[in-house]
Amino acid sequence: MSDKMKELGFEKLSGEQILSMDINPFRCIGQDWMLVTAGDEKSWNTMTASWGFAGVMWGKNAIATVIRPQRYTKEFMDKSEYFSVCFFGEEYKKALAFCGAHSGRDFDKAKETGLVPVFTDGSTIFEQASVAFVCKKLYAQAMKSEYFTDKSQIDAWYNDGGYHTEYIGEIVAAYVKK
């Protein structure tokens, strides 16, 4: 782990420590939200997400997230080998709301929210994150209407098209704030 990460108060977890983390993915993803970020110090973008999964895939600790084609972050996800998923305390809910409602094409999200990007392990996390996972992208596939077995989901979530692309990433680094 870099000295910078230590200075920022992060502890890097081993694979064993990741397995013993006391995180409820339903609350963290669905209620508290997460920032999904791709890119590096040259260029990056982040967006708030409340849909995703955490678990084991192909024998690896993994995170899955979904991104609509209209989202600026998707461009970064498609060209990056790594992405990050960061979780924050309640005091950052307003910043996450901004990142979910405004495009990085039009706003400097770091400047607007005060979130400070940190470049590590091939991706971008945030200094204020309480938990950060850096993931190596393993799989990406666009959702298609013909694969929905419950067609009511199309009417509920995709009446304008814009089907998500699902990304599955292996957790290659995990950080928690001490």
Side-chain angles (χ1 to χ4, degrees):
M1 183 169 76
S2 74
D3 290 338
K4 171 121 174 121
M5 295 299 287
K6 286 180 186 175
E7 288 172 23
L8 294 173
F10 284 104
E11 175 186 355
K12 189 171 188 175
L13 303 182
S14 69
E16 291 285 321
Q17 290 171 309
I18 291 170
L19 293 176
S20 66
M21 290 180 77
D22 188 24
I23 290 182
N24 178 334
F26 300 102
R27 180 185 45 78
C28 287
I29 296 170
Q31 294 176 359
D32 298 343
W33 310 334
M34 60 185 175
L35 283 184
V36 177
T37 309
D40 56 24
E41 50 275 309
K42 295 176 195 156
S43 182
W44 58 273
N45 198 62
T46 192
M47 61 173 262
T48 302
S50 62
W51 290 3
F53 305 91
V56 177
M57 188 69 187
W58 303 306
K60 301 172 186 299
N61 294 329
I63 291 182
T65 189
V66 293
I67 300 178
R68 289 186 186 265
Q70 306 91 310
R71 298 300 299 254
Y72 187 45
T73 302
K74 185 177 184 314
E75 295 176 25
F76 292 85
M77 287 289 283
D78 288 341
K79 67 183 179 184
S80 297
E81 183 178 359
Y82 296 92
F83 66 93
S84 72
V85 173
C86 293
F87 299 97
F88 298 80
E90 181 65 31
E91 66 271 26
Y92 294 101
K93 194 77 168 198
K94 187 175 177 180
L96 272 65
F98 182 91
C99 291
H102 297 85
S103 175
R105 290 183 187 98
D106 304 320
F107 293 90
D108 178 337
K109 292 182 181 184
K111 180 180 175 187
E112 296 289 335
T113 63
L115 295 174
V116 179
V118 178
F119 308 105
T120 187
D121 300 292
S123 193
T124 305
I125 66 170
F126 294 93
E127 184 177 312
Q128 295 90 339
S130 56
V131 176
F133 296 108
V134 176
C135 302
K136 181 179 181 188
K137 192 169 54 177
L138 300 175
Y139 180 84
Q141 181 174 348
M143 294 179 174
K144 296 181 180 181
S145 62
E146 59 265 28
Y147 297 124
F148 279 81
T149 56
D150 179 353
K151 301 296 184 191
S152 70
Q153 299 305 311
I154 297 170
D155 292 335
W157 302 105
Y158 300 104
N159 58 7
D160 64 345
Y163 293 97
H164 288 92
T165 295
E166 178 185 20
Y167 298 90
I168 300 174
E170 174 188 6
I171 299 171
V172 294
Y175 296 95
V176 294
K177 263 301 173 63
K178 295 185 212 175

